[in-house]
Amino acid sequence: MMTANITGIGLGRDTSMCGDPKSWYPMRVTYSREIKVKAELDRLEIENFVPMTYKLVCADNGNPHRELVPAINNLIFVRSTQGRISELKTSNKVLEPLRYMMDHTAEKAHEIMTVPDRQMENFMCVASMTDDSVMFLDENTIVGKEGKRVKIMGGMFEGVEGVIRRVKRCKRVVVALDGIASVAIAYVPAGLLMEV
C-alpha cells in the first residue's frame, strides 16, 4: 500500500486482505466536469484520482499563466464497488455525468473496465507528479516496439514498474494502463533500473 500523500487522490486504508470488493474504475466525465465530480467524491469520502498537470493558459486579459488542470480530459478513477457507483450515478446529481469505460478487446468484449490495485498504485505514483519529471502520452507519441519490463530501485519513483519505450527520440520508463492512459518518466538513471 502506498503511504505517500499524493496530489489528486484520497488514500484510504488497504482492506484487500479483508475481502474488500472495491475496484478501481476508470470513468469518463462528460463536459470536462472532472474537478467538480472529484470534489463531490472527496466530500463523500470515496477514493478517487484525477491526474493533474500544469499547462500554460491565457487569461481573459490575454496574459498567459500556468494553471493546474486535469492532464487527461474527461477522465477520473474511482475506487469503490460497481453497485455503489451505479447507485450514486442515479441518486446524486453531481455524479450523474460519470460513465463507465468499456473494454472492447475480443476476450472481454464490452465488460466494464477495472484497474488492478498494484497497476493503479504504479500509475498514481508517477501520474501524481505535476512537474516536468513526467509526460502524459497519447498513442501517437510512443514509437517502436515495447522494450524490457523494469522496476525502479531508487529515487522518487522507487518501486514503480514500467516498460522501456522510445518517446520523443529518448528511451523512457512508461507506465501504462492499457486502453486508458500512459505516462512517461522524463529521466531515470540506468543504474536504478532492474529488469523484471
Side-chain angles (χ1 to χ4, degrees):
M1 167 137 175
M2 296 172 52
T3 56
N5 182 11
I6 297 174
T7 303
I9 62 173
L11 294 176
R13 59 189 183 88
D14 185 359
T15 57
S16 58
M17 298 303 286
C18 305
D20 185 356
K22 292 179 183 175
S23 295
W24 279 104
Y25 290 89
M27 303 191 80
R28 293 286 177 211
V29 183
T30 57
Y31 305 112
S32 300
R33 292 182 271 192
E34 309 94 297
I35 301 304
K36 186 176 182 181
V37 168
K38 178 181 179 14
E40 182 66 5
L41 291 168
D42 289 346
R43 186 185 73 76
L44 296 170
E45 297 182 355
I46 295 174
E47 193 172 0
N48 64 86
F49 176 66
V50 175
M52 303 290 284
T53 191
Y54 279 99
K55 288 188 179 171
L56 201 58
V57 295
C58 279
D60 292 337
N61 62 6
N63 293 333
H65 66 282
R66 282 173 40 105
E67 189 173 304
L68 191 61
V69 298
I72 304 166
N73 290 338
N74 304 319
L75 179 67
I76 187 169
F77 295 89
V78 181
R79 187 170 189 275
S80 189
T81 63
Q82 185 179 341
R84 176 78 170 132
I85 294 170
S86 294
E87 180 232 322
L88 287 170
K89 282 170 40 65
T90 58
S91 65
N92 186 312
K93 190 100 173 132
V94 177
L95 300 181
E96 188 275 328
L98 284 171
R99 300 287 181 260
Y100 290 108
M101 289 180 68
M102 306 306 284
D103 190 336
H104 296 290
T105 59
E107 61 272 3
K108 294 185 177 181
H110 306 292
E111 285 183 17
I112 292 173
M113 293 180 94
T114 60
V115 179
D117 286 350
R118 180 64 187 137
Q119 272 188 324
M120 196 63 201
E121 287 174 8
N122 265 335
F123 183 77
M124 288 189 303
C125 184
V126 178
S128 64
M129 300 307 231
T130 57
D131 58 18
D132 294 336
S133 64
V134 300
M135 296 175 274
F136 289 89
L137 308 174
D138 58 34
E139 289 84 33
N140 302 327
T141 312
I142 302 173
V143 177
K145 296 180 183 176
E146 194 171 287
K148 299 175 189 170
R149 183 153 192 79
V150 295
K151 183 174 185 176
I152 300 172
M153 303 306 293
M156 71 170 112
F157 298 113
E158 184 173 2
V160 168
E161 292 183 18
V163 176
I164 301 292
R165 298 294 304 261
R166 188 165 295 281
V167 179
K168 295 186 178 179
R169 294 189 277 183
C170 296
K171 288 185 178 179
R172 305 188 193 276
V173 176
V174 174
V175 178
L177 300 177
D178 290 337
I180 305 167
S182 298
V183 62
I185 301 171
Y187 175 74
V188 180
L192 294 180
L193 299 178
M194 179 181 81
E195 194 172 342
V196 293

